[in-house]
Amino acid sequence: MSVANDFPLSLMSDAIFDQFKRVPAKLDPDFIHDFMGLRSHVDFNGIWIGNGGVQQPVPLNNWQWISLLWAVASARHSGRGRAVLMECGAGWGPWIGAGFGAARQMGIETIRLIGVEGHQPKVATMVQHFANNGATPENLRAVHGIVAAESGIAFFPVALDPSMQWGARVRGQVGTDRAKMIEAARAVPMAGQPGVYTIGARHLPYDLVPAYTLSELMGDHEMIDYIHFDIQGSEGPVIETSIADMTARVRVICVGTHSGDIEAALRILMPAHGWVCLRDEPQPMHPRGKLGDGTQVWLNRRFLPTTGPQAVNAAPVSPHETA
């Protein structure tokens, strides 16, 4: 396995967009198109309904895009001829979808995508999203389940309206004994919906979905170029329990953070295992006092040069000193 990659770190910025062509889209009112021409059906996201037929501009200053495109471009630069991208809490797979479009534009021969989503209807939309954009079944592994610190099963909310229901969190702990978990949660079977239970005073619907560790989901891939995490507060324990395997074979991660404690813990954990922080945006406060998602972007020092103009300083980079 090639370890060092001398693709310029200076391109981990808005400059990365210049590595990709703007592809004029044949506008369709049922789709939103990104700047590379990848299309997403308006039904996938409730805020898009009635607003299709547009091509979005280049998403400058968006570090989810910047980190993804840098990972794809540097994978192409390495000469491996392949890119492996993963999205945890994937929905319809917007980030691995954008990565697929970018990798295809770069002429990468082998593209492998892993999308993990707890809502079964959204897994179906993920499969449809890639079919809409010319992917083949060998490109995508769409997994119904959640990523967790341990494998088993977990209660996960049922999506009554998949296009509008986001930010779902696991209820309780991951377990292995279905009957004991149902009893402990005081879960009541929901009439007419096999496998669905109501829990709590509000009688919210949940089902039991598979829980996988990150290592299980990464499978036998020798190298993972990029992982996007948006797992609603589980990112801390998942990354902590998987850090050794991540350090061995993951190049770039982008983490949506959901608490100040998680952000602080990652600032300690990641540099201790040889990761370099390229971006640290704490959770923003939105109007009416609602917190948004923070963003942290980390590069694995193991896959960066140790000498030459692209070398990273031997000392860990403070997140608060990044651009």
Side-chain angles (χ1 to χ4, degrees):
M1 176 173 60
S2 175
V3 175
N5 188 323
D6 61 355
F7 189 74
L9 282 174
S10 60
L11 294 181
M12 182 68 88
S13 66
D14 281 346
I16 194 62
F17 293 105
D18 293 334
Q19 301 294 307
F20 295 87
K21 297 177 182 177
R22 280 65 165 168
V23 179
K26 183 179 180 181
L27 298 182
D28 184 319
D30 290 332
F31 291 88
I32 299 289
H33 308 262
D34 72 17
F35 77 98
M36 293 181 295
L38 194 88
R39 57 185 193 157
S40 300
H41 201 284
V42 295
D43 287 348
F44 296 166
N45 189 332
I47 65 173
W48 288 346
I49 295 174
N51 296 304
V54 298
Q55 184 163 23
Q56 297 173 325
V58 175
L60 298 175
N61 301 313
N62 184 319
W63 276 79
Q64 296 179 91
W65 271 98
I66 289 169
S67 58
L68 171 66
L69 296 183
W70 190 93
V72 171
S74 59
R76 171 67 178 85
H77 182 80
S78 72
R80 287 165 41 230
R82 67 186 289 116
V84 183
L85 313 173
M86 185 172 178
E87 186 171 0
C88 300
W92 74 91
W95 296 110
I96 53 174
F100 172 73
R104 185 169 56 181
Q105 187 183 117
M106 286 240 155
I108 294 176
E109 297 171 4
T110 303
I111 306 170
R112 296 291 181 263
L113 311 165
I114 306 165
V116 188
E117 172 55 47
H119 289 137
Q120 181 68 66
K122 294 181 182 178
V123 176
T125 63
M126 190 191 321
V127 173
Q128 185 61 53
H129 178 53
F130 284 90
N132 290 344
N133 286 283
T136 63
E138 70 175 1
N139 294 128
L140 175 65
R141 178 186 169 204
V143 179
H144 176 223
I146 62 165
V147 58
E150 56 186 318
S151 57
I153 53 176
F155 279 108
F156 196 75
V158 172
L160 301 177
D161 181 356
S163 71
M164 293 298 292
Q165 189 168 334
W166 307 98
R169 294 172 179 254
V170 171
R171 182 183 177 100
Q173 303 297 315
V174 173
T176 56
D177 190 316
R178 185 183 187 93
K180 286 184 178 179
M181 292 178 67
I182 291 170
E183 181 181 4
R186 299 181 180 179
V188 178
M190 195 168 181
Q193 296 195 50
V196 178
Y197 302 84
T198 59
I199 301 177
R202 296 173 61 192
H203 303 290
L204 297 176
Y206 290 82
D207 59 1
L208 281 162
V209 304
Y212 303 96
T213 66
L214 194 63
S215 293
E216 289 173 323
L217 292 164
M218 290 194 293
D220 59 1
H221 290 291
E222 188 178 42
M223 182 184 292
I224 309 288
D225 293 288
Y226 181 84
I227 302 179
H228 185 281
F229 292 96
D230 188 3
I231 50 179
Q232 304 303 316
S234 297
E235 60 272 14
V238 164
I239 292 173
E240 182 178 4
T241 57
S242 307
I243 189 63
D245 202 6
M246 287 175 56
T247 301
R249 53 183 174 143
V250 179
R251 294 179 51 237
V252 184
I253 66 170
C254 179
V255 186
T257 58
H258 297 87
S259 80
D261 288 345
I262 292 173
E263 292 170 350
L266 291 177
R267 292 176 191 133
I268 297 171
L269 174 71
M270 302 304 288
H273 289 269
W275 290 74
V276 179
C277 187
L278 267 292
R279 191 69 175 183
D280 185 344
E281 299 174 354
Q283 285 186 283
M285 182 69 74
H286 292 322
R288 300 181 184 177
K290 184 178 180 180
L291 279 171
D293 292 0
T295 301
Q296 291 186 0
V297 174
W298 294 90
L299 272 65
N300 189 342
R301 191 186 301 275
R302 182 166 184 246
F303 300 108
L304 295 172
T306 56
T307 61
Q310 302 306 326
V312 176
N313 190 301
V317 178
S318 167
H320 303 290
E321 294 175 0
T322 57

